[in-house]
Amino acid sequence: MYQPPPYQAPPGAPRQPPGAPGYPPSQPGGGPAFYQQPAQSQPQSLYPPQQQQPQQPNFQQPPRSNQPGAFGGGYGPPQGAPAFMAPPMQQQQQIPQPPPPSAGINTAMPPPHMMRPGGPPPSQSGGFPPSGIPPSGFGSPLSKPTAPPTVQFFSTVGGTAQPIATTAGSPPLTMKTVGGGPPQMGPPGSMLGMPPPPTSQQPPGSMGGGYQPLPQLYGNAPTGLGMPSAFDSGNNLAAMGMMQPGGPTTPQNLHNPNPVNLQTHSMDPNQPQQQGQPGITGGAPLPLIEEMDLSIQCNPAFLRASVSKIVASQAQAAASRIPLGLICKPMAGDRGVTNDEIDVVDFGSTGIIRCKRCRTYINPFITWADNGRRWRCNICGMLNDVPSNYFSHLDGKGQRRDRDSRPELSRCSVEFVAPSDYMVRPPQPPVYFFVIDVSEASVASGMLSSMVAAIKDSIEELSNNSRCQIGFISFDSQVHFYNLKATLSAPQMLVVSDVADVILPLPDDLLVNLCDSKTVVMALLESLPNMFRSNSNGSQNNGGGDAGAGTCTGPALMAAKRVMQNLGGKLSLFQSSLPSIGEGALKMRENPRLLGTDREFTLLNAEDTWYKTNAIDFSRLQIAVDVYLFSPAYTDLATVSVLSKYTSGTTYYYPAFSQLRDGRRFEYDLHRALTRATAFEAVMRVRATRGIRFSNFYGNYFVRGTDLLALPNCTADSSFSLDMAYDEGVLAAQAITVQAALLYTSSAGERRIRVHTMVIPVTQSVTEMVESLDVNCAMNILSKQAVDIAQKTGMDNARSRVHQTTVEILKFAMSGGGIANQQMYGGMNQQYRGQYQQQQAAPAADTPLPASLLLLPLYSMSLQKCLVIRGGGDVRVDERAYFQLLLHNMDIDESKVFIYPRMFSIHDMGAEIGLPADNAGDEGDDCPTAGPFRVRLPSILNLTYERLQSDGIFLMENGHDLFMWIGRAVNPAILSTLFNEKSLENVDMTTLSICAENSDFSSRVAAVVAALRSDRKGRYMQLHFIREGDGYAEAYFARFLIEDRANFTGGNLTYNEYYSHLMRALAGLPG
């Protein structure tokens, strides 16, 4: 295992919307009551009502636009609105309306997946998968057989499993009983001779919501795995939880081959430094901002901060309530083993140049001293000597004369070739191992066929790497191993029936070189669907009853871990039902009565510690786990997804999987997961200038020590968010430097260190910080904080926190904290009591919002109605757990459109829509575009039912799904050219597809859909067709019309009403 140095990383960018009334979506405890009249026509306050004030504030009315496609559009239902829409709110005295958005809306998007809440099942002809609340209990685990089961050998020639006789002339494999013990195995509980990892010790920390330092190292690293001595040294090595090969098992006695750095100072930012000792919080002078070249900017795709200027005063920053943090996507834009944005630097015999105190990598923002013979670190201020063979004279501006020819001095992102002292074992080959549920449910749904198709499609690309290794295990109520030795004419299946003590029948032939065994691997893939076509083992009915034996997911995972433990790699788990046999068996704990209550959050946390314990062990062994879930019933996603959460893997969810409906999405997702750029055996650390630290992390990872992220796999889609916190009352630095370092092994077998560095200027004016806010980045961070609160204390508290934070940010900005001259509060060293008093004052009614905060009210309301924290009982447990996990791993472009989806009008789009911007019209216009060819998109509409028309077609994207809403009165000519259907009556909507070749119009519609998908490479956005009046399907679509009313406490306001509610809160009046 390998690690970077101390501290942490960044994010940001903006956009536009607003709206009008609608309808109530759902009823607690049941399906969405889409056509029911709301209980109250008068909107209720979001929070407990206060005493009514006799006078209403005289707010200034913001202008509204009545132009098509503009935001706004009046109150009340549209002409001819259906009866289910709520009556318009009674006119109150001069209720303020939202401010006008800016003209153009630049957007970018995310990934989540459509799921079904509880409610009435759709018709058999189409729609969405049924909810199917399973009765209690899946099958109980099988009891251990009385006689020792045997390992059975099968040949897969001809696509069926034929038993192999075990006579002298049989294959060179000896049939062995489980009780007899396999050859070359260690004692019971060991893993191929390796000491078994401890199971009782709990790991430190949590995902995202804060963590505790590791009290002691978690188990022993396998031979050759440890912390490279050059990546970090000194006392930090113990905090990282990394073992040196052959070293002692306690961090106090870790061997450090680099004694010059073994000083007595602490690298822990929370531990005070002794007088005169070197340390990150020492008093060495830092580079001045005028000495830095701020024209060198880090690509925001790699690092992006929520503010572009940070205030020096901790008190002022806390009073502003602005979420301070960063979004880090270290491998953004990678293709294969290259990235066009990043230069590779090899220091050769010189060695990588780093600060000897804080271990910061050399970067463009350091300064030079003694005519270029020494350089000052911009993180801790220490002066470091320049190696003689790296010396260069300075120019008249104090910069090196060779600066432009050295990427590490002129580029914010660079990659260093890691020398041998950054390795504790040779770089390992890329390993792909598949653990496949072959129960009756997997075969019947078509999952097995789709999986085989996706792997076969990826084999050619994977085999381009001559080092790549591959292996397979399948399971139902038994575990099936596959001998893929290159010398075999056909693969052999070996069955182990004792899942209580699974052995490895052929340890050396279960993981093979793909190039050598490609023919045998392809033969296995061809045979798999037929081999289990009539399988009845492991089947379960939708209610969880024992219709068969159940599935032994845990024993299969443990067997895969033993196969992969010496190399690490990527493990892909395919699961079609709730695990029910052996270790890792789960219970049916979904309780519809808890949905929408203050106890719902208990279902969103993992119940069985087995998954977390083994996930941390997988991480220690450098194994990342990708989880693919397909069950039509409850599958306890909150627990099973822990496997990917702590191993830097990914969870994919296809509820009630159908090959016809979901096959294309699943095949795309699996193919991308196998072929996208991937860093193996990675660790990442993010540093910041003294005075700033990173308090929380969000994403899929495991924290070692206090700030080292262990990432067995880091991909081009991996994204991490970090909360920034002050360590000093007043920052001494004039600029905060943030540096993220990722140490990893490329798929080509090279050890690399990717370094991203950015600078955030420090300002004495909190006004400047407020004005520099990146609202999209801030909402990304705030949404992840809200999810953490929801998982700990419930959705109501999460929504309250979002609303209250919004009120306090706006109040601070409008009452002088962000508008008035900050000099009235005194200099850096003065008390801020006066500022606090003014901050509490109510803003004037006509005080405008700062430009950076114009979208904050809209995004705040949207987040409160988002699936991750919305109230009511229409979001199933697995669905909510999936979207919460998804949001934790979203970058800014993804979260922006997930929180506030985009809706387009298709039926009336102009002739230039769907064509590349370079070939149609002026590039300077505000028309939104998507995709690498900048395909023009239709104008963006408000997310309200008022915008829908029965004679129209509307397209919506939320970054995870695409929805096409089709009115009942659409022109038959449009239906014919788009779908080859003159009418959609009695048509199965799951079979529809856009016929791009029919006409210019249909080809441009298809181009718009393709362009939106190309912006969301991480996951395939499936297009769902919604017919007007299709009960459940339309109700599901309605959940994303967030400017309308929702039927839960805190969500029963339209956007206009919510904006008025905010203004009342700012004025200190009851809502």
Side-chain angles (χ1 to χ4, degrees):
M1 301 175 176
Y2 317 90
Q3 322 183 289
Y7 285 79
Q8 265 89 45
R15 70 157 289 190
Q16 246 104 3
Y23 53 83
S26 63
Q27 299 194 79
F34 191 66
Y35 295 103
Q36 297 189 8
Q37 191 77 3
Q40 300 181 14
S41 60
Q42 188 75 7
Q44 298 177 344
S45 172
L46 281 171
Y47 302 101
Q50 304 175 19
Q51 180 114 17
Q52 245 341 357
Q53 298 295 326
Q55 294 186 351
Q56 301 292 332
N58 186 21
F59 292 124
Q60 184 180 25
Q61 295 285 345
R64 295 179 61 81
S65 171
N66 294 319
Q67 296 299 320
F71 294 106
Y75 293 96
Q79 185 71 26
F84 60 79
M85 292 183 60
M89 184 180 78
Q90 296 180 6
Q91 185 73 23
Q92 297 183 2
Q93 182 176 353
Q94 294 187 333
I95 295 176
Q97 300 176 9
S102 60
I105 302 178
N106 285 330
T107 47
M109 326 311 128
H113 173 13
M114 207 196 95
M115 280 161 265
R116 264 196 32 76
S123 64
Q124 296 299 320
S125 61
F128 292 79
S131 173
I133 304 294
S136 61
F138 288 75
S140 58
L142 294 178
S143 59
K144 189 172 180 179
T146 55
T150 59
V151 179
Q152 304 171 48
F153 292 85
F154 295 85
S155 170
T156 59
V157 176
T160 59
Q162 301 295 331
I164 299 176
T166 55
T167 61
S170 293
L173 305 174
T174 306
M175 180 171 62
K176 300 185 180 295
T177 64
V178 173
Q184 301 178 357
M185 294 285 290
S190 68
M191 299 185 295
L192 289 177
M194 297 292 297
T199 57
S200 59
Q201 183 174 348
Q202 293 300 316
S206 62
M207 288 295 304
Y211 50 88
Q212 299 296 326
L214 188 64
Q216 57 183 354
L217 297 181
Y218 185 80
N220 298 331
T223 303
L225 283 183
M227 182 61 198
S229 59
F231 193 54
D232 265 293
S233 55
N235 292 346
N236 252 358
L237 194 58
M240 291 169 196
M242 303 298 286
M243 299 296 296
Q244 292 295 335
T249 58
T250 56
Q252 291 83 355
N253 298 324
L254 284 174
H255 171 64
N256 192 327
N258 196 4
V260 67
N261 294 317
L262 260 179
Q263 304 178 26
T264 58
H265 69 277
S266 170
M267 292 298 178
D268 187 343
N270 297 314
Q271 184 171 340
Q273 305 294 319
Q274 297 182 13
Q275 186 71 23
Q277 282 187 328
I280 259 184
T281 58
L286 292 162
L288 303 177
I289 193 168
E290 54 264 26
E291 298 177 302
M292 300 179 177
D293 185 356
L294 299 184
S295 65
I296 303 175
Q297 295 291 321
C298 185
N299 187 334
F302 298 126
L303 284 178
R304 189 163 158 183
S306 59
V307 292
S308 56
K309 295 181 180 178
I310 187 169
V311 70
S313 165
Q314 179 184 17
Q316 284 184 314
S320 74
R321 294 305 302 274
I322 288 176
L324 297 177
L326 309 166
I327 309 297
C328 179
K329 198 170 181 180
M331 297 186 66
D334 274 31
R335 295 183 179 180
V337 295
T338 62
N339 189 313
D340 295 337
E341 295 285 330
I342 297 178
D343 293 315
V344 179
V345 176
D346 188 351
F347 282 104
S349 59
T350 304
I352 297 177
I353 298 177
R354 304 176 64 182
C355 176
K356 294 187 179 302
R357 175 191 292 169
C358 68
R359 309 302 290 154
T360 295
Y361 293 86
I362 194 168
N363 62 81
F365 306 108
I366 63 164
T367 55
W368 303 95
D370 296 344
N371 295 321
R373 292 181 176 85
R374 294 201 292 172
W375 61 276
R376 186 178 298 280
C377 175
N378 51 328
I379 296 286
C380 70
M382 181 178 180
L383 280 172
N384 297 270
D385 293 331
V386 174
S388 58
N389 55 355
Y390 190 72
F391 173 79
S392 174
H393 291 285
L394 306 182
D395 60 17
K397 297 180 180 180
Q399 299 292 337
R400 285 172 58 117
R401 294 181 179 177
D402 63 349
R403 173 187 174 190
D404 292 338
S405 63
R406 290 194 173 273
E408 71 274 16
L409 301 179
S410 58
R411 303 287 298 272
C412 287
S413 296
V414 69
E415 192 157 273
F416 300 116
V417 176
S420 58
D421 50 352
Y422 283 77
M423 309 177 197
V424 291
R425 69 173 183 177
Q428 300 302 300
V431 174
Y432 299 89
F433 203 87
F434 303 92
V435 181
I436 309 163
D437 180 352
V438 292
S439 63
E440 183 180 12
S442 298
V443 178
S445 67
M447 181 278 283
L448 196 57
S449 297
S450 289
M451 183 211 69
V452 166
I455 297 176
K456 287 168 64 177
D457 191 41
S458 309
I459 285 292
E460 197 62 38
E461 190 168 344
L462 294 178
S463 62
N464 289 336
N465 189 328
S466 60
R467 304 166 65 248
C468 180
Q469 299 200 27
I470 195 169
F472 296 83
I473 285 178
S474 62
F475 65 94
D476 39 38
S477 59
Q478 302 171 327
V479 180
H480 319 127
F481 298 90
Y482 296 93
N483 180 7
L484 302 175
K485 196 171 183 178
T487 56
L488 294 176
S489 59
Q492 294 176 339
M493 181 173 71
L494 304 95
V495 179
V496 176
S497 58
D498 186 356
V499 297
D501 185 17
V502 177
I503 65 170
L504 300 184
L506 295 170
D508 297 332
D509 297 321
L510 301 177
L511 191 62
V512 296
N513 182 279
L514 177 57
C515 292
D516 295 342
S517 300
K518 184 176 179 180
T519 302
V520 183
V521 170
M522 293 300 289
L524 173 64
L525 292 173
E526 292 285 353
S527 303
L528 271 177
N530 291 329
M531 288 167 57
F532 297 99
R533 178 176 298 171
S534 303
N535 188 22
S536 60
N537 285 338
S539 61
Q540 291 177 330
N541 60 37
N542 287 346
D546 191 5
T551 55
C552 56
T553 307
L557 285 171
M558 293 301 95
K561 181 168 71 173
R562 292 167 63 185
V563 175
M564 301 176 68
Q565 63 182 347
N566 292 326
L567 297 178
K570 180 186 289 293
L571 187 157
S572 299
L573 170 66
F574 305 89
Q575 180 73 40
S576 291
S577 60
L578 193 73
S580 56
I581 296 178
E583 51 186 332
L586 297 174
K587 299 177 181 178
M588 173 65 187
R589 62 188 184 106
E590 184 179 37
N591 185 353
R593 295 181 179 179
L594 295 182
L595 299 184
T597 70
D598 58 359
R599 299 298 299 166
E600 181 181 356
F601 76 94
T602 60
L603 303 177
L604 300 173
N605 293 284
E607 182 180 49
D608 194 324
T609 59
W610 183 91
Y611 286 87
K612 183 175 182 179
T613 300
N614 282 281
I616 295 168
D617 207 28
F618 276 121
S619 177
R620 179 180 65 86
L621 297 170
Q622 302 292 359
I623 300 172
V625 182
D626 286 347
V627 178
Y628 300 80
L629 300 173
F630 308 90
S631 176
Y634 177 69
T635 191
D636 202 351
L637 188 145
T639 298
V640 179
S641 64
V642 166
L643 290 169
S644 60
K645 186 177 182 181
Y646 289 106
T647 63
S648 67
T650 309
T651 297
Y652 301 87
Y653 182 44
Y654 313 90
F657 178 84
S658 166
Q659 187 175 19
L660 178 64
R661 182 188 62 237
D662 307 311
R664 187 174 181 183
R665 163 180 259 174
F666 169 44
E667 291 173 26
Y668 174 93
D669 290 345
L670 179 54
H671 175 76
R672 176 162 179 83
L674 296 177
T675 59
R676 64 188 169 189
T678 302
F680 296 90
E681 304 176 294
V683 284
M684 185 174 75
R685 172 168 280 134
V686 188
R687 299 172 171 82
T689 301
R690 67 174 184 240
I692 291 292
R693 61 183 172 86
F694 297 103
S695 55
N696 292 325
F697 303 87
Y698 308 93
N700 284 359
Y701 60 86
F702 178 67
V703 175
R704 291 200 179 93
T706 58
D707 61 352
L708 187 74
L709 307 187
L711 310 171
N713 283 183
C714 184
T715 72
D717 300 321
S718 298
S719 177
F720 308 93
S721 301
L722 305 91
D723 289 337
M724 282 196 300
Y726 285 72
D727 261 347
E728 300 175 354
V730 177
L731 298 177
Q734 295 184 3
I736 297 298
T737 301
V738 175
Q739 186 177 87
L742 178 76
L743 173 64
Y744 71 96
T745 299
S746 72
S747 58
E750 296 178 305
R751 200 73 174 142
R752 298 286 185 87
I753 306 170
R754 179 167 297 187
V755 178
H756 303 293
T757 309
M758 73 176 300
V759 166
I760 307 174
V762 174
T763 177
Q764 305 305 317
S765 169
V766 74
T767 304
E768 294 184 4
M769 185 179 78
V770 172
E771 292 174 348
S772 73
L773 176 70
D774 181 341
V775 69
N776 292 300
C777 181
M779 286 305 301
N780 179 287
I781 296 168
L782 181 60
S783 65
K784 294 173 183 179
Q785 293 172 347
V787 167
D788 270 0
I789 294 172
Q791 292 175 344
K792 293 175 182 176
T793 61
M795 265 56 70
D796 288 345
N797 289 337
R799 293 193 302 273
S800 297
R801 174 67 67 86
V802 172
H803 175 74
Q804 191 59 35
T805 299
T806 303
V807 170
E808 291 176 358
I809 291 174
L810 295 177
K811 191 172 185 180
F812 181 84
M814 296 174 66
S815 63
I819 303 298
N821 187 341
Q822 297 302 312
Q823 291 181 354
M824 67 183 296
Y825 303 138
M828 287 170 51
N829 296 322
Q830 294 183 4
Q831 300 296 321
Y832 295 98
R833 178 171 52 188
Q835 184 240 319
Y836 291 141
Q837 293 173 347
Q838 177 158 352
Q839 181 233 334
Q840 298 299 323
D846 57 351
T847 302
L849 286 176
S852 61
L853 299 178
L854 286 176
L855 288 175
L856 183 60
L858 177 67
Y859 283 174
S860 173
M861 185 197 70
S862 301
L863 179 56
Q864 293 173 62
K865 294 183 180 181
C866 184
L867 295 178
V868 292
I869 60 173
R870 70 180 283 132
D874 63 339
V875 184
R876 293 188 302 137
V877 175
D878 281 341
E879 182 182 11
R880 196 189 296 275
Y882 172 72
F883 280 118
Q884 288 183 348
L885 183 66
L886 203 62
L887 181 60
H888 254 292
N889 290 276
M890 286 184 183
D891 62 24
I892 297 169
D893 289 341
E894 293 168 342
S895 65
K896 177 171 65 175
V897 74
F898 180 68
I899 293 171
Y900 188 87
R902 298 193 296 180
M903 186 166 71
F904 312 95
S905 176
I906 295 296
H907 61 284
D908 57 355
M909 64 186 196
E912 77 283 358
I913 302 302
L915 300 177
D918 293 340
N919 300 333
D922 183 8
E923 287 189 32
D925 63 21
D926 294 325
C927 178
T929 62
F933 302 108
R934 299 184 62 243
V935 172
R936 289 178 175 272
L937 302 177
S939 57
I940 299 175
L941 306 178
N942 296 45
L943 295 176
T944 171
Y945 193 83
E946 285 189 343
R947 293 296 185 182
L948 303 180
Q949 305 169 12
S950 291
D951 61 350
I953 300 177
F954 299 86
L955 180 69
M956 180 193 288
E957 72 139 341
N958 66 5
H960 185 270
D961 289 281
L962 291 166
F963 303 92
M964 185 171 285
W965 186 91
I966 306 169
R968 292 277 183 177
V970 174
N971 189 330
I974 295 180
L975 296 179
S976 180
T977 189
L978 273 180
F979 312 117
N980 285 335
E981 298 280 355
K982 293 184 179 180
S983 173
L984 297 183
E985 293 297 327
N986 301 319
V987 172
D988 183 354
M989 301 299 284
T990 63
T991 63
L992 281 186
S993 62
I994 298 174
C995 302
E997 68 283 353
N998 280 2
S999 66
D1000 172 70
F1001 175 75
S1002 62
S1003 67
R1004 289 188 290 112
V1005 172
V1008 168
V1009 171
L1012 292 173
R1013 282 174 172 159
S1014 66
D1015 278 348
R1016 309 285 166 256
K1017 293 185 176 65
R1019 294 173 191 253
Y1020 181 83
M1021 287 201 301
Q1022 185 168 332
L1023 178 58
H1024 304 273
F1025 296 95
I1026 312 294
R1027 181 171 44 207
E1028 181 183 11
D1030 271 1
Y1032 178 77
E1034 192 174 36
Y1036 190 97
F1037 172 80
R1039 294 196 295 184
F1040 301 102
L1041 299 176
I1042 53 87
E1043 295 185 39
D1044 291 335
R1045 295 186 180 95
N1047 192 22
F1048 63 87
T1049 303
N1052 55 350
L1053 301 179
T1054 67
Y1055 176 54
N1056 295 316
E1057 296 162 356
Y1058 180 78
Y1059 187 83
S1060 299
H1061 176 79
L1062 278 179
M1063 294 301 104
R1064 297 176 197 278
L1066 294 177
L1069 299 176

